[in-house]
Amino acid sequence: MTETPPPPDVMPARRSLWERVSIVWVVPLAALLISLGVVWQGYVDRGPLIEIHFENASGVHADETELRYRDVTVGLVERVRFSDNLAEVVVEVRLDKDVAPYVDAESQFWVVRPQVTAQGVTGLDTVLSGVFVAGSWDTEIGAPTSVFDGAESPPLIRNQENGLTIELTAPTVSGMADGTPILYRGIEVGTVANLRLSEDGQMVVADGFIPAPVDRLINVSTRFWDTSGFSFSFGAQGARLDVSSLASLVSGGISFDTAVPNDAAVDTGHRFLLYEDEGTARSSVFAPVPAGTTVTLSLIFDEPVRGLEPQSPVTFQGIEVGEVEALTGFVDAELFGDSRARLLATILLRPARMGLADDTDTAALVDFLDERVQNGLRAQLQAASILGGLRIALIEVADAAPAALDRDAEPYPVLPTIPGDVSDFADTAEGVFNRINALPVEELLQSAIDVMDSANRVLNDPALTDTPGEVVGLLADVRAIVGSDGVQRLPEDAAALMGSLTAAAEDLETLLQQAEEQGAVASLVAALDAAEAAANTVSESVAGFPAVLAEIEAATLTVDAFVQDLDALPLEPLTVQASTILGEVEALLLDPATQSLPGEVAATVEEARAAIADLRESGLFDSAVAAVNRASGAVDEVLALLQPLADEAQAAMTDLRGATEGLPGLVARAETLAADVSGLIATVEALPLSDVAARTLALLDGAEVLISGAETQALPGTVGAAVDEVRGLVADVRQSGLLDSAELTLASARQVLDDLSAGLDPVLAEAQATLGAVSQATAGLPDLIAQAEDITDGIDTLLASANAVPLADLAARAEGLIAAAEVLLAAPETQGLPGDLSAALEEARALVAEVRQSGLIDNADLTLTTARQTLNDLSAGLDPVLAEAEVALAGVSGAAADVPQVVARIQEVADGIDTLVATANGLPLSDVVARAEGLIAAAETLIAAPEAQALPAELGEALDALTALVAEIRSSGVIDGAADTLGAAETAVAEISAALRPVLEEARAAAAAVREASDGVPRIVARAEAIAADLERLSQTAADLPLDELTAQVRSVLDGAEALIASDEIQSVPPALRSALGQVETLLAEIRASGMVANANATFSATTRAADAIAEASDDLPGLVRRMNGLLGEAETVIRGFRADGPLGSDARSALRDIREAARSVNSLARAIERNPNSLLLGR
Amino acid sequence: MARARSHRPILTARDGGLVGCTRCTRVWPLGTSVCRRCGTPLESRRWSSLQRVWAWWIVGFVCYIPANLYPMLRTRVLFRVTEDTIIGGAIELASHGAYGIAVVILVASVLIPIGKFAAIAFLALSLHRPGLLDNHGRHKLYEVVEFIGRWSMIDVFVVAILSALVQLNVVAAINPGPAALTFALSVVFTMLSAQSFDPRLIWDAEDRARA
């Protein structure tokens, strides 16, 4: 055992209090705090505890049953206990703190349990969850209350609902129950609850609640009545059965109605009487309170009053104003003078129902009645209904015996009476029986017996008894007939017949199907459409047609007359004269003088040569050069002045453009003209031109001979000599200083030209003005063009006339002329012409040399430069002109767009042509021809004159000028413009023709349609006429029928029949019948023997054949169908002719409207039934 | 352990100048602050043991009160909701004749928790007033309390399982009430209290008494 070490002296250090306390103490502290917090919170959040006293607490359990407000849990039952004396159950409810302030003394509590009533099942959810306590309180915070009395049933007004609470009173509880609905026009608007007895126990009182907004329908004139179930009354008003809805039959119901909508409003708790039915309620409307003041009167009746009893009504002016209170016998010998018992009726009158104030007392009413009695008011007994019962009526009798109200009678005032108007049912029945009694029943029976005896006699007649046997025999015969072979075969024949008929019917059906398949209907429709379109077109075109036709007719007549006039023209003498002229021309050419013409020409040339030589000596050239210089300067100035002129020309072109707008018409005319010209050309082509050509060839041959002549050969030599001379002349000129003087002359000439140029300014201004005038004049060009149109018309006519001119003869004459020219050329002098010409050329050469030396060329150069400049300027000036021309052409093309108008104008032109032709027709053409004859004679003279010989040379100059002109024209682009214009015109014409073509097509189509349409018209008219005739005939025949006679005859027959029937020979009928039956029998036997049945067979087979024939005939039906189609087309046209606004259409429309309204009514009825099928059952 | 009922003095580790590790039972010389084998802080005696015992004990007891006042289970069958406290439920079971279950519930939810409270309080108090039970008996008592503590949660388990299983929508549903939470907390705190008790103090007390 080792030594134990000494125990160490362990002394824990002394610690402070904080160091000795463990941190873990925080946990219990926190737990305590939390617990305390929870407890405090729970205490604070806890709502107040309230006590509700119930009579019983069925289904209420502590800690389970909730308190609900508007179906939201707001509390919990904590305890259920009894009150101190066990009289009530106290339910302690812990309220939620939120709602606690609202639960004040006004609050109501009740227990909601499942309930099955006639109004439905309520509180179904409580079956599973248990009952709950429901609370209802307002939204105002009130004084806190902790003890409440719970209600046994839900209150009428919950949760401060707006509405009206009333009290309904009735003698019995009938019709009222807790929850009975209050209905207004069948809609539930409120409920009844809290059924109880009134304080005095006399009435049943119930609370009714009608929520807003229906509550404003309630006022003092509102009446409530019981609508539950059905009521059957059988009283003074007759039988009456009131059945309300099945629902109210089960559950009951209270309806109300307000007679005066804006009557005084009622306060909460106003007491209304519940009437037992609607009639009573309504009749009480004017008696605000039925139990109001009553006035008692007495009535004394002398007559028996069986049927009158207490509560019988008293009426005043037909209105029930009271009732009989009591009836008693009454004897007063002193008053009436005898001791007969009379009836004393005591009646209660309600002044309110008589329209008097409700508080009218007896005195006031008696005053009122007294006054009425003065005017004839009496009480009278009346039958209340056919079934008995009496009532008392207060009526005013106009001529009543004077009487007065005995207001001092005891106990009540007595109202005078008059005898009653009681038409008793018993009396009536008695009258009926009396009349039955008065009937002659015995006589009637005696007559009946007689009739029966007669019948008996007839029946007992032996002949009649034999009749059955005869009938039996007849039947046997009939049976034999029926059993015969022929009759037996009858069914088979009939079957065959039926078979044929069936076949025929099938054929017909097939036929109809074919017709259907072939689209007969479709084509019919299409044909009708086309016909309609055609008819439209025709009707449009026909409108304009008569005028056109008239015009065409007039034109044709005019042309006719014209042609006739042309025929009458004396053209033949004209031709003869022309041929004479040509003959003279020929003679002229063959004349020796003409033959010597070339020689004279040569002499002339010689003289010319001499003149040139003189000229050469005169130094004229230098002057000419200067003059040319001067002229070039002047030209410059002129050019400067020409500029405005160009502007003016431009303006003029603008005007021209306006003028060209009239061109289309002109073009149309030109077209016509061209047609005529082509006609002329055709005529010309017919001329013997080949002969002319041959002659021309011969002429050329002559010329050749001339050229190859000796003189012609010598011509160059002569020309050379001439040139030499010219050269000499030039040399002379050079020496003679002519040139200098010429220069002087030219200087002066220049001076002159200067002056001239100065003088030209005004002249140019004048020219400018003139051009302005020209432009203005061109503005008048359209008119001019119109005139030109007229002129072309004239030309047209003229050409037409020219066509008729005998050109052939003229050509023959020309031929002769050419022959003469040929002879002329072949003459020697003509042959010498070349020589002279060569001499002239020599001189010209010399002249040219001089010219070359004289600087003329330079001047010419200058001049040319200036001229070029001028041309440039001109071309520059021409550009706008051309632009203008372009615009003008555009205008032309624009004009081409006006083609329709042109077409219209063509019409006018045609009119003009018409007029013109008429005018031309009226022209004295014969005079013209005579004049032409004279003219030709003059021409003859002219040609024969020597001056005519010089014509060729002048012609040559003119031709030169023409050539230059042509060149200028060619350079100026006029031709292009013209070509363009013509192109545009061509385009325009093409467009016109293109536009015209459809028009013409349409016109042609229209014409065709017209022709087709007009073709059908006569037929239709003829048919209509035939139909009308038939109808007329029919009506005449009908009118002619001898109906009167027929009637008379019928009447006589009837008379005869009547007489026959009236005759006594009816007794002999049975034997006659018997004999007749015997004859019938014989007849039948004969029939059997005669084979009539076989005949019948034959007849049937014939019928079969006939049926076959019908079947065949039905094959022809397509044609018939076609005709039907046509007929339908016409019918459609007729129908289309019906105007929708015609009387028929309006009738149809109104009928349709009626039908539609009827359908709408049916529809609404159906909808109403659909919406409320019950209405069929429930009568609403 | 042999029951040494003799009055022979017991040699404690502290007396031997040693300190034992309460976790791995290795002894170290006194003054060693951390067990070098398992790293547990070494204390010869936990000076705040009693304080902690009492602190947890109080918290557990505070939690135990609402655990008995508030409903443990909220049972809804159709529209009917029943809430049962622990004792109420046991009584109801007993009234339906299920005595066995009622006894089990009473033992597990009432007897055992209350016994634990009492045992811990007795142990803590007996440190200063020994005599009612000897050291061995007290140590035994402590071990029993330690062992039984974990079974106290059986009630909470039942509630948890029922809540999870019985959720039949409209027909029936069981939900834990507020008492389930407080009861569980109470058990937890009681166990903490028991664990906080240093059984070595039992023997020190004998020493002091002997001395």
Side-chain angles (χ1 to χ4, degrees), chain A residues 462-496:
Chain A
L464 196 63
T465 51
D466 290 344
T467 306
E470 301 274 351
V471 169
V472 168
L474 182 63
L475 285 173
D477 289 347
V478 167
R479 202 183 300 131
I481 289 174
V482 167
S484 70
D485 291 343
V487 174
Q488 292 295 330
R489 263 206 318 280
L490 268 179
E492 296 167 13
D493 290 340

Side-chain angles (χ1 to χ4, degrees), chain A residues 90 101 131 317 575 640 777 994 1165:
Chain A
V90 178
V131 305
Q317 315 276 14
T575 319
L1165 180 66

Side-chain angles (χ1 to χ4, degrees), chain A residues 19-22 28 35 128, chain B residues 47 51 56 59 62 79-80:
Chain A
E19 284 169 326
R20 280 187 285 138
V21 173
S22 170
S35 302
L128 292 174
Chain B
W47 63 272
Q51 285 188 38
W56 290 125
V59 178
V62 166
F79 297 100
R80 196 175 210 90

Side-chain angles (χ1 to χ4, degrees), chain A residues 375-388:
Chain A
N375 290 330
L377 182 77
R378 301 287 184 275
Q380 187 189 35
L381 282 174
Q382 286 184 345
S385 77
I386 190 175
L387 294 176

